[in-house]
Amino acid sequence: MAIYHLSVSNVSRASGSRATATLSYISGRRVHDERRGETYDYGRKERVLRVGTLLPEGAPAEYADPAVLFNAVELHETGRTARPAKKIVVALPREFTPRQRVQALEEYIRENLNADGYAATYAIHDDGRGNNPHAHILVANRQIDPATGGWARLKQRMEYVLDERGERVPLIDPETGRQKTDKRGRRQWKRTSVSLNPLDRKAKLKALRESWANTCNARLDETARIDHRSLEDQGSDLEPTIHEGYAARAIERAGGVSERCQTNREIRRSNSLLTAVRTELGRIFDRLGELFAAKIGRLRRRQARPEPAEPNWRYFEGDARRQLEADRADHTAAIRGKLMGAKADVGNREEWWRSHGTEEFEAAKQIIDVARAASREARDANIFKRGRLLRNAEQVAGEQSEKLRGAVPWLEDTDIPSDWDQANRFRMRATKAIHDHDMQPRTGLVDELERRLEQAERAESEKPSPEQVKALALRMAEQRERAAEDPTQDMNRPEPSGDEPLDLSEPEDLGESGPFEERSAPRTKADLLREIRQRADRRTGQQEAEQRQIDPWQAQPPQRRGHGR
């Protein structure tokens, strides 16, 4: 995949750089510096694929030799902080053939540098194995005058510094706080050096970046285009990678891990994940758009059809109201019956506890009684034996505590005391805890049923709303119309047993599934009245059964026959 890279840097004497030394590095050749009398040979020839020099109009022919060109510019620049050249580094797309690389590079130099009077030498590099193709462009930092063939005179000039109002800013003497004057008494104003070199202007640098992208894109396929803008300017929130450099890649080739390369790997992994998430979200949104469009289409087709006439539901209004009240009453009676059964189960379990207990209780009682026997023996012993028996009681209590933890693992307090009184209190607490643990599912069910019964009784005391009555009456009317249109559907329906509730309205929120779900409706009013009468009979039978129910707490134990003492 093609990537974009273009960087511009100065060859500055202030930082120890030389145009001739830089030429030696990028061209892989030995270059002699005539101004300093030094010879440079920094290049790595195996990395250099091609070197070429392009001159502007009017340049001397001998400048076609890059050593002559950059020695001439070094000799012309005399300042200690002079910048005789600039270096531009560009990444060459891997999709380019060697010929396309040269064509794109020379076209770029002619249109952006030679056209403005700059001479430049380029060198195409890779890493020696065909990877990382890139080019170095060394540009003489002074334009060539096409009329004379010599170097242009001015690269910068001094201009006055202006304030916000466009007026000159005075030069203040820090000692006196007044404006400085020269020997003739003329006032002094702040001035600054303004570069006349186009390569020093920000607009020119932006143009260089954009032009390189355009030059490459003209030769690249649409799927491999590059963009000179930063990710921020593109409106992308992807994280940009950092420049790795030759040293970092050398560490990686040697089998090490470069911090800069590792950072870039993490950035690429994060960007890849973000791109994948965006792609998946785009697919989801596209699918949602398709579903939404299909839904709109169905709604429009439905709206185009004429509205069916509403059936005459007023005829069934009274039946619907009575049916709703009856179903609520049945729902309440059903919960009340479950509550009675749950309370009876609690009573039976309590009776069982009084006579039998449970396996956990018997095991715990035996374990605790062993420790209690040892503590009682220590309590009743005389003064000479008490110390030994107390230690024995502590040991027995520890051993029995371990057994108790194994027998009743859910018991929170399993440390049996070695003191007699404390052991008795512990036995009572353990008995209550085991009893409560065993009874909790039954007592919890009773509490839940009581809560549901309270909700059902509250719902039964309220009158059905007009909306509920109308909805049920509409369903009854629709069922009557369907039965009239297709009389055979009732012939195939099995005969009701008499215990099935009616399915004549929408489910209500009564704490469980609605009493009208999965039910069949009567065909006539006579069927409806018969159903109501049967329910009343069942409710009467349930009330009689409640009266005959024996409360196990009030049950008296059977009287023993025979003589008693």
Side-chain angles (χ1 to χ4, degrees):
M1 178 180 178
I3 60 173
Y4 179 86
H5 174 77
L6 185 146
S7 61
V8 181
S9 58
N10 286 304
V11 178
S12 174
R13 289 178 185 169
S15 61
S17 301
R18 305 286 182 269
T20 49
T22 305
L23 175 63
S24 173
Y25 171 76
I26 69 169
S27 63
R29 301 174 181 174
R30 184 187 297 270
V31 178
H32 180 72
D33 189 331
E34 298 176 3
R35 187 180 70 87
R36 296 176 58 87
E38 298 177 355
T39 300
Y40 306 108
D41 190 8
Y42 297 139
R44 299 175 60 187
K45 298 177 179 57
E46 69 276 4
R47 299 176 57 199
V48 181
L49 304 180
R50 182 183 177 92
V51 178
T53 301
L54 300 178
L55 302 177
E57 182 182 356
E62 60 268 20
Y63 285 177
D65 184 349
V68 175
L69 170 63
F70 289 100
N71 267 301
V73 74
E74 281 282 358
L75 291 171
H76 185 80
E77 302 292 346
T78 58
R80 291 181 301 172
T81 60
R83 295 180 294 180
K86 287 185 182 294
K87 184 172 70 172
I88 304 174
V89 181
V90 295
L92 295 170
R94 294 184 179 181
E95 292 80 358
F96 280 179
T97 63
R99 181 178 179 83
Q100 287 177 323
R101 294 173 184 174
V102 175
Q103 290 176 347
L105 200 58
E106 292 188 349
E107 177 183 332
Y108 175 74
I109 294 173
R110 289 193 184 96
E111 293 181 357
N112 295 275
L113 298 175
N114 293 160
D116 291 338
Y118 294 100
T121 295
Y122 68 86
I124 299 176
H125 289 189
D126 63 10
D127 63 352
R129 293 186 295 273
N131 301 319
N132 188 28
H134 61 281
H136 298 261
I137 305 173
L138 190 61
V139 186
N141 203 21
R142 186 178 287 271
Q143 295 166 296
I144 295 178
D145 188 350
T148 64
W151 300 107
R153 291 188 176 183
L154 294 178
K155 282 205 306 181
Q156 61 185 14
R157 69 182 178 192
M158 302 300 292
E159 290 185 354
Y160 288 109
V161 177
L162 303 180
D163 59 13
E164 298 176 353
R165 296 175 296 179
E167 298 180 356
R168 292 181 295 178
V169 177
L171 187 62
I172 304 299
D173 189 345
E175 296 181 358
T176 62
R178 298 179 180 179
Q179 185 176 3
K180 287 185 177 182
T181 58
D182 60 8
K183 296 180 179 180
R184 299 181 181 180
R186 293 176 299 185
R187 290 180 296 178
Q188 300 294 303
W189 307 91
K190 283 187 178 180
R191 294 194 298 173
T192 183
S193 176
V194 177
S195 176
L196 300 178
N197 185 8
L199 287 180
D200 290 333
R201 297 173 184 170
K202 190 173 183 180
K204 179 62 176 178
L205 297 179
K206 289 184 176 181
L208 288 174
R209 292 180 57 83
E210 183 177 0
S211 178
W212 176 245
N214 295 336
T215 302
C216 294
N217 289 335
R219 294 168 172 81
L220 288 172
D221 187 73
E222 291 184 359
T223 59
R225 297 292 175 85
I226 59 177
D227 197 327
H228 68 285
R229 297 173 299 170
S230 65
L231 291 175
E232 181 179 359
D233 293 340
Q234 295 177 36
S236 172
D237 54 1
L238 295 178
E239 185 178 358
T241 56
I242 62 175
H243 180 66
E244 294 177 355
Y246 172 77
R249 295 194 185 97
I251 294 174
E252 295 278 329
R253 286 196 298 271
V257 177
S258 168
E259 181 178 353
R260 302 181 72 86
C261 294
Q262 181 63 25
T263 300
N264 276 345
R265 281 191 288 269
E266 295 175 358
I267 292 174
R268 293 189 188 99
R269 189 181 305 113
S270 175
N271 289 342
S272 176
L273 177 60
L274 181 58
T275 303
V277 169
R278 283 179 172 172
T279 302
E280 184 65 18
L281 285 176
R283 188 188 65 80
I284 292 173
F285 285 133
D286 291 343
R287 180 56 179 163
L288 287 176
E290 295 173 1
L291 294 176
F292 182 75
K295 181 69 174 178
I296 292 297
R298 289 195 297 270
L299 289 176
R300 288 177 177 173
R301 290 192 296 270
R302 187 180 303 171
Q303 291 173 356
R305 294 196 299 265
E307 288 287 339
E310 186 178 74
N312 183 15
W313 60 273
R314 289 289 183 181
Y315 180 77
F316 297 92
E317 185 175 3
D319 295 339
R321 183 178 292 104
R322 287 188 291 272
Q323 182 62 49
L324 287 171
E325 294 173 352
D327 283 341
R328 290 183 178 183
D330 286 348
H331 180 67
T332 305
I335 296 179
R336 188 177 290 112
K338 292 180 182 179
L339 178 59
M340 290 181 56
K343 288 183 176 179
D345 186 36
V346 171
N348 294 336
R349 191 62 179 179
E350 290 287 357
E351 185 67 24
W352 175 266
W353 257 92
R354 286 194 290 269
S355 58
H356 298 84
T358 61
E359 294 182 359
E360 285 186 341
F361 170 68
E362 292 298 332
K365 184 173 68 172
Q366 293 178 7
I367 293 171
I368 297 173
D369 287 346
V370 172
R372 288 174 67 244
S375 62
R376 182 176 58 187
E377 185 179 0
R379 182 199 63 179
D380 298 339
N382 56 37
I383 193 172
F384 300 103
K385 297 181 180 179
R386 185 171 299 168
R388 178 177 57 82
L389 292 178
L390 283 175
R391 289 190 296 273
N392 179 66
E394 293 177 356
Q395 181 179 357
V396 172
E399 294 173 353
Q400 296 304 108
S401 297
E402 291 292 334
K403 292 182 180 180
L404 183 61
R405 277 190 285 272
V408 192
W410 52 264
L411 191 62
E412 294 181 359
D413 184 10
T414 57
D415 294 330
I416 305 174
S418 60
D419 180 74
W420 164 254
D421 294 331
Q422 295 180 5
N424 287 334
R425 288 193 289 272
F426 176 82
R427 187 176 185 271
M428 295 176 62
R429 291 196 304 272
T431 300
K432 185 177 184 307
I434 296 174
H435 171 270
D436 293 343
H437 183 268
D438 182 68
M439 296 296 296
Q440 194 277 330
R442 296 170 175 82
T443 56
L445 178 59
V446 170
D447 295 338
E448 175 64 19
L449 289 174
E450 287 178 346
R451 183 187 64 80
R452 290 168 57 186
L453 179 61
E454 181 181 357
Q455 294 178 352
E457 290 176 345
R458 189 184 307 114
E460 185 180 3
S461 64
E462 298 175 355
K463 292 183 179 181
S465 66
E467 292 79 9
Q468 292 175 328
V469 174
K470 181 179 178 181
L472 180 53
L474 280 172
R475 292 187 62 190
M476 296 172 70
E478 291 172 356
Q479 290 174 0
R480 174 63 63 83
E481 290 182 357
R482 287 196 297 270
E485 294 174 358
D486 187 9
T488 60
Q489 66 178 10
D490 289 334
M491 298 175 59
N492 299 328
R493 183 181 302 164
E495 287 294 330
S497 63
D499 294 331
E500 299 87 351
L502 302 177
D503 182 16
L504 297 178
S505 71
E506 295 295 333
E508 298 182 54
D509 185 11
L510 299 176
E512 58 180 13
S513 60
F516 316 121
E517 293 180 351
E518 301 298 331
R519 304 177 184 178
S520 59
R523 295 190 296 271
T524 63
K525 285 189 176 181
D527 294 335
L528 178 61
L529 292 175
R530 184 170 60 255
E531 292 290 335
I532 294 174
R533 190 178 299 109
Q534 290 176 357
R535 290 174 181 172
D537 294 341
R538 288 197 300 272
R539 191 178 302 113
T540 303
Q542 290 176 356
Q543 292 175 355
E544 293 176 356
E546 291 178 4
Q547 295 175 0
R548 292 193 301 269
Q549 180 69 34
I550 299 176
D551 189 352
W553 286 97
Q554 302 296 332
Q556 299 294 331
Q559 299 293 330
R560 299 179 60 186
R561 297 182 181 275
H563 298 284
R565 284 189 256 180

